[in-house]
Amino acid sequence: MKKLSSNEVRQLFLDFFESKGHKVEPSASLVPFEDPTLLWINSGVATLKKYFDGSVVPENPRITNAQKSIRTNDIENVGKTARHHTLFEMLGNFSIGEYFKEEAIEWAWEFLTGEKWLDLDPEKLYVTVYPEDKEAKKIWQEKIGLTSDHIVEVADNFWDIGAGPSGPDSEIFYDRGEAFNDLAENDPENYPGGENERWLEIWNLVFSEFNHKPDGTYEPLPNKNIDTGMGLERVVSILQGAPTNFETDLFMPIIEKVQSLSKTKKYGENATDDISFKVIADHVRAVSFAIGDGALPSNEGRGYVLRRLLRRAVMHGKKLGIDEAFMFKLVPIVGNIMNSHYPEILEQEEFIVKVIKNEEERFHETINDGLTILNERISELKTKGEKIISGSDIFKLYDTYGFPVELTEEFAHEEGLEVDHEGFEIEMTAQRDRARAARGTGKSMGVQTKLFSDLKEESRFVGYDKTTEIGTLTVIATDEELVKAAQPREHVRLIFDQTPFYAEMGGQIADKGVVKDTAGNIVANVLDVKRAPAGQPLHVVEVLETLMVGKTYKLEVDKVLRNKITRNHTATHLLHQSLKDILGEHANQAGSSVTQNYLRFDFTHFGQITRKELDEMEQIVNEKIWESIPVVTVETNIAKAKEMGAMALFGEKYGDLVRVVNVGEYSIELCGGVHVNNTSEIGIFKIISESGIGAGVRRIEAVTSEAAYKLLQIEQRILNEVAELVKAQQTQDVTLKVQQLQSELKEVQKENESLQAKLANDQAGDIFNNIQEINGVTIVAAEVDVKDMNQLRQLADQWKNKAISNVLALGFSNEGKVNLLTAIDPETIKKGFKAGDLIKTIAPLVGGGGGGRPDMAQAGGKNPAGLKDALAKVPEWVNEKK
């Protein structure tokens, strides 16, 4: 057996199957399944289904790849077992109707045992087969030469995900020896394929030959296919003699870095600490790859899964004595480990680090408070002999301190306590109800799901290249029911067999326009267009003349409105690419809104964007407009679109056919919206604002064409007015003139401050000469003539520097308002006198309140008439204190 690095194993696998005629497919981006705990991959049945069922024929029926996978549905086991991971790699070889069981088995054996390849000891390899799969068992016996004691029939050896391609499988196990045997000799799980530590499953060969139909029956697939998966982490642990996957070169560099950050904990010395080391090493890999593929931490869906992973790792860091943000420091190590096959981590290192660091720092702001409260509550419950943390306590930790429910549960279990999930859900439901109530329950003109969900009438959108079309009215719906006719002044929703009206989708607002009868009379105004549950464009209209199902109408889109929308939409594509040019490839779309008046584009980016960067983006977009680039839209399949370099959005669902919008090879995106034919139609592009709208998400708002021209007109008018005010001969001289005025203003301000200081000194001489003494405590209490609190504080500074008295109280009134300041010297503070107490005593007399430190305090009020009484109260307060 060779001792190989993880990079060598991965490359050997790809080289081996390439030598067998397989096409090596590149690693795909993470593609989310419906279940938010599964951020899976573009491999196996997930992507090959269209090949397996015969609907699509691949260019090469033999495929091999190495793919990253993220799965978090059993996160609690990570770190506690030898092989649970949230991110893992699958090495696979696939046949689409070409070779089948014999070749798959022979090649698997050759790769595992061949001297040129992994060179594993054949005596240590065992296989399992499906009892009814006599063919596979025969191949293992006659072609490979395995003896019967190395072949185990297992009833579970049938790969079936509930629907779609399925079939028997054969799993390959490696015998790690008696040293790893954790079961008694007679334990029913003590065999290859059982739940034990001795026999380690390393490869699963799936013989996909059936289609599991929705009715539960199985029918033969048109092609017999091979779908295999070898776990890289498991194979590497064998080749590197590691007791678990974590002691391999895939994890140990990360663990060693965490060890150095901990300073007090060492890996391998304590089983509990080791769990924390493993959790951190595992989670930072998953988080780094997910962020690199476009996911961001948030409070819902997959974003929440990422946030949970990060926070879980941070909590384990605290257990290792790491009380500061540290996960971001591990990203370069992950990148270096995986760089040979996954260069994207190092390519996007700066962005991934920013996202993780920001998320950590935000969590650290509240985590200590939450942890203190949780520990106190656990202590209270134990003292009372109670065993359950209430739902209200869990909700408070979650809602106020951002403390994940899962972490609360983990901490509780470690302390032998349970959590009240039902009570927590009640609290969450109440919060959602309050939120809904706050939003209001007004009736909308939205899609009537109940009415439209089962409609089979098709409606074809034909508005990509036209704004007028004849359509037959197939559906009329009121708020409550489907009807055959609609009368004037009614508001209803209509479906036509075909329509040029674009239904709101993908950030682009809907078209507006009119419906005409065959004589050319307007019979309805189209106010909005939504998308029905079945996908049909649903026209929200105001009826002017009677409409009838089955009749033919002329549908006319408002061309002026449409043109404004399309200009803004194409501009968002140019802006998206310019963001990547200036900020980096991490700047991905996170939302958009395209209207006739302006465009809004949200994107992923941490940190401020400079004025220079905005100017550069704006310049790029305008240059593309001036170049008069044709905008070409083609319809193709998703695979071809990606080959063209089309950008797809993380988490978006795309059908078999997609539209690719190509702007001169500069911007290539998947998009179902409507666009201009040439960039010159946009006219001009102008950014009007840029801001942060959330953690790692920023927003740009911009205008084009007529709106941009009007904006420039307004700005030019303002500039001309400023030029007149500052007496600049030409507008280009405005900046110089303003700078001159600012310089003159600074000189005047300096002179003014100097005069004010002189006046303050003169006034201080009069005030500070009037000192009272009560029981050995000296007092200065006076009304002064100053303009603001700043001058009042200047007088207090003089009092302090010159040690005028033990107690100071000053006040002034201006435009119906009063301000007070009190101060006490250090020696008098030691005797129990505090400026904050004094201010609280006298402030009510001027109709106000305030507070401060023992040495200085201040207050404001609205009763100038009470100022004299307030200052007269000071000696009384001193006397009472003695």
Side-chain angles (χ1 to χ4, degrees):
M1 180 173 69
K2 298 177 180 178
K3 185 168 184 178
L4 301 170
S5 70
S6 55
N7 289 331
E8 289 172 327
V9 174
R10 188 191 298 112
Q11 194 57 52
L12 277 175
F13 183 90
L14 298 176
D15 289 346
F16 175 84
F17 281 101
E18 191 171 24
S19 73
K20 303 298 184 184
H22 290 63
K23 177 187 176 184
V24 179
E25 289 202 337
S27 173
S29 298
L30 293 164
V31 174
F33 275 7
E34 290 301 315
D35 184 348
T37 64
L38 294 172
L39 295 168
W40 213 290
I41 51 170
N42 271 19
S43 68
V45 174
T47 298
L48 300 176
K49 181 180 177 181
K50 59 181 179 289
Y51 298 148
F52 287 175
D53 64 18
S55 59
V56 178
V57 178
E59 293 180 5
N60 188 333
R62 300 184 181 189
I63 301 169
T64 186
N65 63 12
Q67 281 290 3
K68 55 186 181 287
S69 315
I70 291 182
R71 183 175 61 195
T72 61
N73 57 335
D74 51 2
I75 183 176
E76 294 80 10
N77 290 322
V78 174
K80 297 178 181 178
T81 71
R83 286 172 288 281
H84 265 93
H85 301 295
T86 54
L87 180 133
F88 53 95
E89 279 188 81
M90 295 299 290
L91 310 178
N93 61 286
F94 312 94
S95 169
I96 315 302
E98 230 249 331
Y99 63 83
F100 199 46
K101 293 180 185 178
E102 185 170 328
E103 293 90 337
I105 290 172
E106 288 181 342
W107 288 340
W109 190 258
E110 181 183 351
F111 179 71
L112 291 174
T113 62
E115 185 177 346
K116 182 180 177 183
W117 308 106
L118 298 191
D119 196 23
L120 296 179
D121 182 354
E123 286 300 314
K124 291 185 177 294
L125 296 177
Y126 291 73
V127 301
T128 60
V129 295
Y130 185 55
E132 297 179 23
D133 190 2
K134 306 302 181 185
E135 182 185 4
K137 185 174 182 180
K138 184 178 180 181
I139 295 170
W140 282 116
Q141 289 176 322
E142 298 181 3
K143 295 290 184 179
I144 304 303
L146 284 186
T147 56
S148 58
D149 62 327
H150 278 244
I151 304 175
V152 181
E153 293 185 359
V154 177
D156 288 340
N157 274 45
F158 192 91
W159 182 261
D160 191 344
I161 59 175
S166 59
D169 63 74
S170 185
E171 298 170 335
I172 305 174
F173 293 80
Y174 183 83
D175 182 5
R176 299 201 297 167
E178 278 294 336
F180 288 89
N181 198 348
D182 58 335
L183 301 176
E185 186 65 32
N186 60 351
D187 192 297
E189 293 294 326
N190 193 10
Y191 69 95
E195 291 294 328
N196 61 74
E197 289 296 315
R198 175 173 175 174
W199 286 282
L200 177 61
E201 180 193 343
I202 55 176
W203 206 341
N204 187 13
L205 315 177
V206 179
F207 311 124
S208 185
E209 53 186 310
F210 300 107
N211 181 32
H212 188 170
K213 299 176 70 177
D215 62 6
T217 61
Y218 293 83
E219 64 178 9
L221 287 167
N223 298 314
K224 290 184 176 181
N225 310 298
I226 291 296
D227 171 15
T228 82
M230 174 188 281
L232 177 66
E233 291 83 5
R234 296 184 175 209
V235 173
V236 170
S237 72
I238 293 170
L239 295 171
Q240 295 181 8
T244 77
N245 293 355
F246 290 96
E247 287 78 28
T248 66
D249 64 357
L250 288 165
F251 295 92
M252 282 308 298
I254 306 171
I255 290 173
E256 288 165 359
K257 177 63 175 179
V258 175
Q259 190 172 260
S260 70
L261 294 170
S262 170
K263 297 184 174 63
T264 59
K265 303 288 186 178
K266 301 293 182 184
Y267 184 70
E269 291 184 351
N270 178 285
T272 301
D273 291 341
D274 285 354
I275 290 175
S276 295
F277 279 110
K278 292 174 182 177
V279 167
I280 293 167
D282 172 273
H283 287 8
V284 74
R285 286 174 16 117
V287 168
S288 296
F289 274 101
I291 294 172
D293 274 347
L296 284 176
S298 68
N299 282 331
E300 56 188 12
R302 294 170 185 86
Y304 178 71
V305 173
L306 293 187
R307 178 160 285 169
R308 180 187 171 193
L309 288 176
L310 267 167
R311 291 183 172 184
R312 191 168 187 262
V314 169
M315 297 302 293
H316 278 279
K318 290 184 75 67
K319 291 180 180 181
L320 298 177
I322 308 175
D323 290 317
E324 61 182 6
F326 72 97
M327 287 279 285
F328 71 93
K329 298 177 182 177
L330 307 177
V331 174
I333 300 169
V334 174
N336 287 325
I337 293 171
M338 310 296 282
N339 190 47
S340 69
H341 194 69
Y342 305 101
E344 60 263 32
I345 299 299
L346 290 183
E347 288 171 356
Q348 299 187 65
E349 179 185 328
E350 182 180 358
F351 176 67
I352 296 170
V353 164
K354 280 184 178 180
V355 173
I356 293 177
K357 185 179 181 183
N358 181 75
E359 186 69 17
E360 281 191 275
E361 290 175 344
R362 290 180 65 210
F363 187 40
H364 271 284
E365 290 174 2
T366 58
I367 187 175
N368 290 327
D369 291 338
L371 194 55
T372 299
I373 290 174
L374 177 58
N375 287 330
E376 288 175 354
R377 189 66 185 125
I378 289 174
S379 179
E380 290 172 7
L381 291 172
K382 285 187 169 183
T383 301
K384 295 177 181 178
E386 298 179 9
K387 294 288 186 180
I388 300 176
I389 299 179
S390 71
S392 59
D393 285 337
I394 303 168
F395 179 77
K396 180 180 179 182
L397 287 165
Y398 169 80
D399 192 48
T400 306
Y401 300 101
F403 215 77
V405 178
E406 297 82 3
L407 292 186
T408 301
E409 187 170 16
E410 284 188 37
F411 271 75
H413 287 169
E414 288 175 7
E415 297 292 338
L417 301 177
E418 297 297 324
V419 295
D420 177 14
H421 282 294
E422 186 176 344
F424 171 75
E425 287 302 326
I426 291 172
E427 296 283 349
M428 283 295 293
T429 300
Q431 184 193 55
R432 294 187 192 107
D433 290 343
R434 289 191 295 271
R436 276 194 292 269
R439 288 194 296 268
T441 56
K443 206 170 193 180
S444 75
M445 288 293 291
V447 174
Q448 305 297 304
T449 303
K450 205 169 181 181
L451 289 175
F452 292 96
S453 57
D454 297 326
L455 286 179
K456 305 301 181 186
E457 289 84 351
E458 292 186 2
S459 179
R460 189 163 56 97
F461 173 64
V462 294
Y464 283 118
D465 54 4
K466 61 178 71 174
T467 55
T468 302
E469 186 56 88
I470 302 298
T472 300
L473 181 57
T474 59
V475 174
I476 302 176
T478 66
D479 287 339
E480 290 80 25
E481 61 181 342
L482 301 179
V483 296
K484 293 297 183 182
Q487 304 303 320
R489 293 188 297 279
E490 284 189 301
H491 284 75
V492 295
R493 283 156 291 287
L494 313 175
I495 294 178
F496 296 87
D497 65 338
Q498 60 180 2
T499 178
F501 281 86
Y502 183 82
E504 181 178 353
M505 187 176 62
Q508 179 178 325
I509 66 167
D511 287 325
K512 293 182 180 180
V514 296
V515 179
K516 293 182 177 180
D517 60 19
T518 53
N521 302 308
I522 298 175
V523 294
N525 289 321
V526 179
L527 309 176
D528 199 359
V529 188
K530 301 291 186 183
R531 192 163 293 274
Q536 306 99 323
L538 196 59
H539 306 70
V540 180
V541 305
E542 174 192 22
V543 182
L544 303 179
E545 300 292 340
T546 302
L547 299 173
M548 300 286 290
V549 168
K551 282 197 170 184
T552 299
Y553 295 92
K554 185 177 184 181
L555 309 177
E556 291 187 1
V557 173
D558 183 330
K559 288 184 182 179
V560 174
L561 193 69
R562 163 73 75 86
N563 288 338
K564 290 179 179 179
I565 295 169
T566 56
R567 290 169 192 145
N568 285 337
H569 198 158
T570 306
T572 64
H573 285 225
L574 296 175
L575 173 61
H576 191 181
Q577 186 57 51
S578 75
L579 284 164
K580 290 181 175 292
D581 292 346
I582 301 302
L583 303 179
E585 286 299 316
H586 67 269
N588 291 308
Q589 181 175 340
S592 68
S593 176
V594 180
T595 74
Q596 71 272 29
N597 298 318
Y598 77 107
L599 65 92
R600 187 187 74 217
F601 193 82
D602 301 339
F603 56 97
T604 53
H605 181 69
F606 276 80
Q608 296 292 321
I609 296 179
T610 65
R611 181 70 253 175
K612 181 175 181 292
E613 289 170 332
L614 284 174
D615 289 344
E616 288 174 345
M617 295 172 204
E618 192 175 271
Q619 174 76 15
I620 289 172
V621 174
N622 280 302
E623 284 176 354
K624 298 305 174 185
I625 293 171
W626 302 331
E627 288 174 19
S628 299
I629 303 170
V631 179
V632 179
T633 304
V634 297
E635 197 170 78
T636 184
N637 60 56
I638 189 71
K640 288 287 186 183
K642 288 183 177 179
E643 285 180 15
M644 294 168 63
M647 280 191 284
L649 301 183
F650 180 85
E652 281 290 306
K653 295 179 182 177
Y654 296 100
D656 293 334
L657 289 178
V658 294
R659 289 178 64 83
V660 180
V661 178
N662 188 338
V663 186
E665 303 299 321
Y666 173 70
S667 166
I668 309 175
E669 291 194 38
L670 300 182
C671 180
V674 185
H675 291 270
V676 299
N677 294 313
N678 190 290
T679 59
S680 62
E681 296 174 34
I682 300 171
I684 192 168
F685 172 83
K686 185 69 180 171
I687 293 174
I688 55 178
S689 70
E690 188 279 330
S691 61
I693 61 169
V697 180
R698 303 194 70 81
R699 170 173 292 172
I700 284 178
E701 294 182 327
V703 287
T704 65
S705 189
E706 180 185 352
Y709 172 71
K710 286 181 177 178
L711 176 66
L712 291 172
Q713 271 192 318
I714 292 170
E715 291 181 346
Q716 182 65 48
R717 185 174 69 248
I718 294 170
L719 182 59
N720 290 336
E721 290 173 357
V722 173
E724 288 181 19
L725 289 171
V726 299
K727 295 183 170 51
Q729 295 298 318
Q730 302 180 66
T731 54
Q732 54 262 43
D733 297 331
V734 168
T735 301
L736 180 60
K737 265 291 187 181
V738 170
Q739 288 173 342
Q740 290 174 349
L741 288 171
Q742 285 179 326
S743 179
E744 292 172 8
L745 180 61
K746 285 180 182 178
E747 290 299 320
V748 171
Q749 286 174 334
K750 285 181 182 178
E751 184 178 346
N752 190 34
E753 288 171 2
S754 177
L755 291 171
Q756 287 176 358
K758 185 176 183 301
L759 288 171
N761 285 331
D762 292 342
Q763 189 173 186
D766 296 334
I767 296 167
F768 295 157
N769 288 332
N770 187 14
I771 300 174
Q772 302 178 63
E773 183 174 343
I774 304 291
N775 297 325
V777 176
T778 55
I779 306 165
V780 170
E783 181 178 355
V784 293
D785 182 18
V786 295
K787 69 170 187 173
D788 55 28
M789 282 299 297
N790 185 47
Q791 290 187 11
L792 206 61
R793 282 189 286 269
Q794 288 177 1
L795 288 172
D797 288 341
Q798 290 186 43
W799 168 86
K800 180 179 178 180
N801 294 333
K802 296 179 180 179
I804 303 295
S805 65
N806 303 124
V807 177
L808 175 70
L810 300 176
F812 75 94
S813 61
N814 185 22
E815 296 182 353
K817 294 181 181 179
V818 182
N819 287 92
L820 293 170
L821 181 147
T822 60
I824 309 247
D825 70 356
E827 290 302 317
T828 311
I829 291 173
K830 292 177 183 178
K831 297 175 183 178
F833 291 79
K834 295 180 181 178
D837 292 342
L838 175 55
I839 205 78
K840 289 175 183 176
T841 300
I842 65 175
L845 297 173
V846 294
R853 306 184 306 272
D855 62 329
M856 183 175 288
Q858 61 188 52
K862 298 179 180 180
N863 179 24
L867 180 55
K868 285 186 173 25
D869 292 338
L871 294 171
K873 184 71 174 176
V874 177
E876 295 179 24
W877 178 80
V878 172
N879 189 47
E880 291 170 1
K881 291 292 288 184
K882 290 297 287 186

